Amino acid sequence: MHSPFRLDGKVALLTGASSGLGHRFAGVLAAAGAQVALAARRTGRLAALEQEIAAGGGKAVAVEMDVTRVNSIAAGVEKAEAALGPIDILINNSGVATEQRMGRFTEADYDHVMGTNLKGAFFVAQEVGRRMIDAKRGGRIINVGSTAGLRPFTMLGLYGMSKAGLIYMTRSMATEWARHGICVNAICPGYIKTELNAEHWDTEAGKKLITMLPRRRIGNPADLDGLILLLASDAAETINGAIIPADDGFAAG
Ligand SMILES: NC(=O)c1ccc[n+]([C@@H]2O[C@H](COP(=O)([O-])OP(=O)(O)OC[C@H]3O[C@@H](n4cnc5c(N)ncnc54)[C@H](OP(=O)(O)O)[C@@H]3O)[C@@H](O)[C@H]2O)c1
C-alpha cells in the first residue's frame, strides 16, 4: 500500500537548514523522497548537508538566503526552483532569539528578532505562496512557531511576540490560500536542544527550568519527525490553519 507520508516527486524548501531543527527536517523530508532546497546564510554548512543527503541517495541543493532581506529571499527561491522545479512544500524555519527583560530590549534587538522571525518568515511565505498559486499545484507551508508564541516566557518577550505574530500570519494565509489548495500550518515546539539554546542548559537557570518542564526534560529534534512529515504530506489535505503545540503539554499548563 502506498504510504500517505511518502513525498516522492515533491520539492521542498527549508529555511534555516544549516543547523538544528532545519537540518533535521531536511534529512527527514529527503528520506521520505522529497528533493530539498536548503536555505540559510552559512553556505558551507549547507554544502555539507547537500553532500550528506546525496550520499544517502537523496537530492538536495544549497541556496544562500538571508531572510531579513527581501531581495535575498526572491533570489534564493528563484535558484531553488531553477534547480529542482516548483516548490510543493515550504518549511519556514529560520529563527533567532535574544534574551532580555521587556524594559531593556533595544531597537537593534527588536529589528533582529522581528526582522528574522516575523518579517523574514512573512516574505519567505509570500514569495513561495505566490509561486504555489501561479503553479496551481497546491502546496504545504509549515511555519515553525514556538510555545513562547502561545504563553509568555520570562526574558523571551520579544521572541514570543515574533512567534505570536507568526501564528496570526499562519491563520491569515491559511484562510486566504485554502482555495488554492495550499495548507498553511504552524508547529509550536517546546524547548529542544539546538545551537539556539545549547549553552543555556548547563547554567543554573537552565537546570532550574528543566525541573519546571512537564516531563522534566529538554526535547530532541527527532521528536518532531512525525509531525513535520504529516503536515508536509498528502495526509494533511484537510489540516489548514492549525497551530500545533509539540511541547510535552507545556503550553497547556
Ligand atoms: N530549539 C528550540 O528549543 C526551539 C523551540 C521552539 C521553536 N524553535 C524554532 O525553531 C527554529 C529553528 O531553531 P533551532 O533551534 O534549530 O535554532 P538554530 O540551530 O540556531 O537554527 C536557526 C537557523 O536559522 C537560520 N537563520 C537565522 N537567521 C537567519 C537569516 N537572517 N537568514 C536565513 N536564515 C537564518 C540559521 O542559519 P544561518 O545562521 O546559517 O543563516 C539556522 O539555520 C526557529 O524558528 C526557532 O525559533 C526552536
Side-chain angles (χ1 to χ4, degrees), residues 71-148:
N71 285 350
S72 174
I73 293 170
V77 174
E78 180 62 34
K79 186 178 170 195
E81 291 207 333
L84 302 177
I87 295 165
D88 301 293
I89 301 159
L90 166 66
I91 315 287
N92 206 2
N93 166 75
S94 286
V96 293
T98 301
E99 292 200 5
Q100 192 49 273
R101 299 262 169 213
M102 285 305 252
R104 295 199 171 164
F105 280 117
T106 63
E107 185 178 5
D109 292 333
Y110 186 96
D111 290 344
H112 176 55
V113 175
M114 301 298 270
T116 308
N117 299 3
L118 190 54
K119 178 187 166 196
F122 173 74
F123 283 104
V124 170
Q126 187 193 62
E127 179 68 33
V128 174
R130 279 179 184 157
R131 287 166 182 258
M132 285 176 170
I133 291 167
D134 289 347
K136 298 187 184 350
R137 293 155 53 100
R140 302 279 182 270
I141 296 178
I142 303 167
N143 295 317
V144 180
S146 168
T147 308

Side-chain angles (χ1 to χ4, degrees), residues 15-23 25 39-43 45-46 65-69 92-97 112 115-117 144-148 159 163 166 187-197 201 218:
T15 65
S18 58
S19 67
L21 301 185
H23 184 282
F25 297 154
R41 296 165 301 178
R42 289 172 292 177
T43 50
R45 284 179 174 224
L46 299 178
M65 186 187 292
D66 178 347
V67 301
T68 64
R69 294 191 299 114
N92 206 2
N93 166 75
S94 286
V96 293
H112 176 55
T116 308
N117 299 3
V144 180
S146 168
T147 308
Y159 176 77
K163 295 299 187 179
L166 189 79
I187 63 168
C188 294
Y191 284 111
I192 296 179
K193 192 169 183 179
T194 66
E195 286 174 34
L196 192 76
N197 54 32
W201 305 114
I218 316 163

Side-chain angles (χ1 to χ4, degrees), residues 17-40:
S18 58
S19 67
L21 301 185
H23 184 282
R24 176 77 196 179
F25 297 154
V28 169
L29 298 195
Q35 297 185 14
V36 291
L38 313 168

